[in-house]
């Protein structure tokens, strides 16, 4: 099994900064994608940013230039989301996700696995 532990949410004024952390433990492939998603009340869950073990990152247009996703230098299955210039519309519950292919037999067949954290609330006041 895989566990995701998120931390770092809270209340901040518009223009402020927060840093979220997510650590994945358990049976996690060494090749994976970890990312942050968010869900505001009454809205669909949406991508915020992702990071692959290969070093690629991807951001939603709404956060480009303000948010930065990174991996811990030593704990590769730990990701951070540095959020700057926060806006009230960034208010949401932020969820961490890890996904990877898990080999299930000697022929090399694999299954796509994904796990979600419980979420951490970010509230940005105006």
């Amino acid at each position: 099994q895989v566990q995701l532990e998120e931390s770092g949410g809270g209340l901040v004024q518009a223009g402020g900064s927060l840093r979220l952390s997510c650590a994945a433990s358990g049976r996690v492939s060494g090749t994976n994608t970890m990312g942050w998603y968010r869900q505001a009340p009454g809205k669909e869950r949406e991508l915020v940013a992702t990071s692959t073990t290969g070093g690629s990152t991807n951001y939603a247009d709404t956060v480009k230039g303000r948010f930065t996703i990174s991996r811990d230098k030593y704990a590769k299955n730990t990701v951070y989301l540095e959020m700057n210039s926060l806006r009230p519309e960034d208010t949401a519950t932020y969820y961490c996700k890890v996904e990877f292919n898990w080999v299930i037999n000697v022929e090399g067949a694999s299954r796509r696995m994904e796990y979600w954290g419980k979420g951490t609330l970010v509230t940005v006041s105006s």
Side-chain angles (χ1 to χ4, degrees):
Q1 267 294 358
V2 173
Q3 295 80 39
L4 294 169
E5 184 172 346
E6 302 148 324
S7 62
L11 173 64
V12 65
Q13 287 189 329
S17 298
L18 279 176
R19 187 193 198 206
L20 305 183
S21 299
C22 174
S25 61
R27 300 179 69 184
V28 181
S29 170
T31 301
N32 61 63
T33 298
M34 293 187 71
W36 289 96
Y37 295 73
R38 67 186 181 186
Q39 187 167 18
K43 294 189 176 181
E44 297 286 317
R45 190 172 296 189
E46 62 179 8
L47 167 76
V48 177
T50 60
S51 166
T52 70
T53 48
S56 298
T57 57
N58 182 48
Y59 295 91
D61 288 342
T62 53
V63 307
K64 281 180 182 177
R66 299 188 299 123
F67 291 11
T68 302
I69 190 169
S70 62
R71 292 215 180 215
D72 190 280
K73 183 178 180 180
Y74 301 104
K76 294 297 184 182
N77 292 333
T78 295
V79 292
Y80 306 103
L81 185 68
E82 190 74 38
M83 304 186 293
N84 298 314
S85 302
L86 282 161
R87 305 166 180 167
E89 53 264 39
D90 294 318
T91 296
T93 298
Y94 284 69
Y95 297 90
C96 180
K97 183 175 84 167
V98 62
E99 55 186 318
F100 52 88
N101 290 324
W102 191 260
V103 176
I104 59 174
N105 63 32
V106 296
E107 285 79 27
S110 62
R111 178 180 299 159
R112 191 71 177 167
M113 312 294 287
E114 69 173 44
Y115 297 89
W116 290 88
K118 294 181 179 179
T120 184
L121 180 62
V122 172
T123 303
V124 184
S125 63
S126 57

